[in-house]
Amino acid sequence: LIPLSQGFGSYVGEVYRRHHDATWGWITQGTEVFPGLQQAKGGLFWPWAKALDRLKTNSEPNISDYYHYLVIR
């Protein structure tokens, strides 16, 4: 599932970055470090982790819903 979540997460993150002024970098949450994006407004998100959560549990919002949430934030 990890390669699949990296692919989906990277695609969503890159589309967001290109259209909504964000930059890729490393995000630390607790003791874990994830590749993620920082919005120009300062918000942080990590699409790889969201995609993995969705694939593992099938209860997280789908990737399309996640993207729309990021756009309206």
Side-chain angles (χ1 to χ4, degrees), residues 2 25-36 44 46 48-50 52-53 56:
I2 302 262
W26 294 100
I27 297 173
T28 303
Q29 184 175 24
T31 60
E32 298 186 66
V33 179
F34 301 98
L44 301 172
W46 39 99
W48 284 17
K50 282 298 201 182
L52 182 60
D53 288 346
K56 285 171 46 177

Side-chain angles (χ1 to χ4, degrees), residues 4-52:
L4 196 56
S5 68
Q6 289 172 339
F8 284 135
S10 293
Y11 180 79
V12 169
E14 189 58 17
V15 169
Y16 186 88
R17 183 195 69 79
R18 289 181 182 196
H19 296 283
H20 300 286
D21 196 20
T23 57
W24 282 101
W26 294 100
I27 297 173
T28 303
Q29 184 175 24
T31 60
E32 298 186 66
V33 179
F34 301 98
L37 290 110
Q38 181 172 11
Q39 299 168 310
K41 299 181 261 182
L44 301 172
F45 60 99
W46 39 99
W48 284 17
K50 282 298 201 182
L52 182 60

Side-chain angles (χ1 to χ4, degrees), residues 11 15 48 59 62 69-70 72:
Y11 180 79
V15 169
W48 284 17
S59 64
N62 68 42
Y69 168 76
L70 293 172
I72 63 170

Side-chain angles (χ1 to χ4, degrees), residues 1 51-61:
L1 292 179
L52 182 60
D53 288 346
R54 172 65 179 180
L55 290 169
K56 285 171 46 177
T57 67
N58 201 30
S59 64
E60 292 292 315

